[in-house]
Amino acid sequence: MSRLAVFFFLACMSLFTPLYGWNKPTHMVTGAIAYRELQTTNPQLASRVVAILRQHPNYQQLWASKLADPSLSEDDRNQYLFMLAARWPDDIRGNAYDHPTWHYINYVYAPEQGIARTDTSLATGENILQAFAMNRQILRSNAPDSAKAIALCWLFHLAGDVHMPLHTTALIDKQFPEGDRGGNLFKIKVLMSSQTINLHSFWDGMLLGADDYQSARNLAVQVRKAVHRDQLPQLGKQDITSWSRESFQLAQDNAYRSNTLSAGTDQEGAVLPADYVATVKPIAQRQVALAGYRLADELSADLAN
């Protein structure tokens, strides 16, 4: 396939297939990490974010009953609110607040053609970089707190999504001439005896499946203990474009293993290499930690005044 053909296929690729980033429990972990970071370093700011989120138009409908759990302390409730906010854009799929193309950007990875580009991407409508910038602008504006609460939810969520490597990548090759849609068409099995799933789904749920408060909070505690800030020199890059490029590189090197990972069919996924899970799980854990820390830093910058 020529380079021209690659970009023709990109232009023709479907615009309407929703791509999920980390699953809902993993987004909750990101929110919990961000809360604990703020509560430790700037509790006044954490309280301010909580106050804004309580003005969310869906607060009573979606969150109030969960937060009323008598077993939760006030600190638990505040942390839980951050967690619920982080998953909200996935909870409202299909309603008026939904923006399917906001969750990702498709940088071009066409290894058979020697193409790996971040200076251009598939035109899918407003992408994750544009959405993040728009919602930051709302948060920094004089908009009412109800609008800022919606913007906060998107910032929470998109900070998580952009750290999921397959949310930045469109693999183009002979098997996927129109792209693999961020691994959604890339069929695999974890074990020979496992059911066929797609690579995107595997990465989505690699770290956690249960979406209850305790499970997500406990994983957040484990991740913060395992991945400290001083282990992450890239934390100094406080812009989402840099984050997306980091994820794109991880997709190439680790998710697709430099184009050595094989894809199967809908009927029979290709079995992952024996060391794949053990190799990529710490990478996923580090990405979730990065997302939580960077989200806390972003909130500190955007709500400093």
Side-chain angles (χ1 to χ4, degrees):
M1 186 186 301
S2 69
R3 288 174 182 255
L4 182 61
V6 167
F7 289 102
F8 173 77
F9 281 123
L10 287 176
C12 295
M13 189 171 160
S14 172
L15 305 182
F16 303 109
T17 300
L19 303 178
Y20 289 81
W22 303 114
N23 62 6
K24 294 177 184 180
T26 309
H27 277 292
M28 292 172 71
V29 173
T30 298
I33 292 171
Y35 174 78
R36 192 50 59 196
E37 285 291 301
L38 286 184
Q39 187 64 15
T40 300
T41 62
N42 193 340
Q44 294 81 10
L45 180 58
S47 295
R48 185 178 176 192
V49 174
V50 167
I52 294 172
L53 288 173
R54 285 177 177 160
Q55 302 306 309
H56 194 289
N58 287 160
Y59 182 87
Q60 290 298 329
Q61 176 189 359
L62 295 181
W63 299 340
S65 62
K66 294 181 173 66
L67 296 172
D69 184 340
S71 69
L72 299 176
S73 68
E74 185 65 21
D75 184 65
D76 289 335
R77 291 189 183 96
N78 292 340
Q79 181 170 234
Y80 197 9
L81 184 55
F82 269 59
M83 295 157 75
L84 293 169
R87 61 175 284 173
W88 177 79
D90 281 344
D91 287 330
I92 51 86
R93 292 275 184 165
N95 81 10
Y97 293 115
D98 189 16
H99 299 276
T101 68
W102 281 13
H103 297 257
Y104 61 96
I105 185 169
N106 283 326
Y107 292 133
V108 181
Y109 180 42
E112 294 172 355
Q113 301 300 313
I115 297 172
R117 299 185 60 170
T118 58
D119 62 337
T120 188
S121 62
L122 173 64
T124 56
E126 291 172 338
N127 62 45
I128 194 169
L129 308 187
Q130 296 164 324
F132 198 83
M134 287 188 292
N135 284 285
R136 281 190 72 202
Q137 185 175 11
I138 293 170
L139 189 60
R140 292 180 168 207
S141 73
N142 294 322
D145 281 355
S146 57
K148 289 185 177 182
I150 294 170
L152 275 171
C153 289
W154 278 108
L155 292 174
F156 278 36
H157 191 84
L158 301 180
D161 274 349
V162 78
H163 285 85
M164 204 286 230
L166 292 171
H167 260 240
T168 63
T169 312
L171 171 67
I172 310 291
D173 62 12
K174 291 184 178 68
Q175 188 171 357
F176 306 110
E178 297 184 22
D180 75 336
R181 298 179 184 174
N184 276 276
L185 302 181
F186 197 107
K187 303 298 182 176
I188 57 99
K189 289 183 174 183
V190 177
L191 301 169
M192 180 63 73
S193 58
S194 303
Q195 68 178 26
T196 292
I197 59 173
N198 64 66
L199 190 64
H200 193 107
S201 294
F202 167 78
W203 275 79
D204 272 357
M206 191 191 316
L207 297 179
L208 187 64
D211 69 350
D212 61 282
Y213 170 74
Q214 296 293 345
S215 296
R217 185 201 64 176
N218 291 345
L219 181 56
V221 171
Q222 294 170 22
V223 168
R224 288 184 75 227
K225 286 182 178 178
V227 187
H228 298 277
R229 275 184 170 269
D230 57 11
Q231 299 172 262
L232 301 168
Q234 61 270 57
L235 276 174
K237 298 178 181 178
Q238 194 59 27
D239 68 279
I240 193 171
T241 299
S242 294
W243 308 345
S244 69
R245 289 172 176 168
E246 291 171 2
S247 289
F248 182 53
Q249 193 63 56
L250 288 173
Q252 297 169 64
D253 297 343
N254 301 104
Y256 294 113
R257 287 205 164 180
S258 302
N259 199 37
T260 63
L261 196 68
S262 298
T265 65
D266 289 341
Q267 292 72 37
E268 189 70 20
V271 179
L272 291 174
D275 66 337
Y276 189 87
V277 176
T279 300
V280 301
K281 191 168 184 177
I283 294 169
Q285 186 180 63
R286 186 190 67 204
Q287 288 298 102
V288 170
L290 262 175
Y293 294 146
R294 281 172 164 166
L295 175 58
D297 293 346
E298 185 66 48
L299 294 173
S300 296
D302 290 342
L303 295 171
N305 298 320

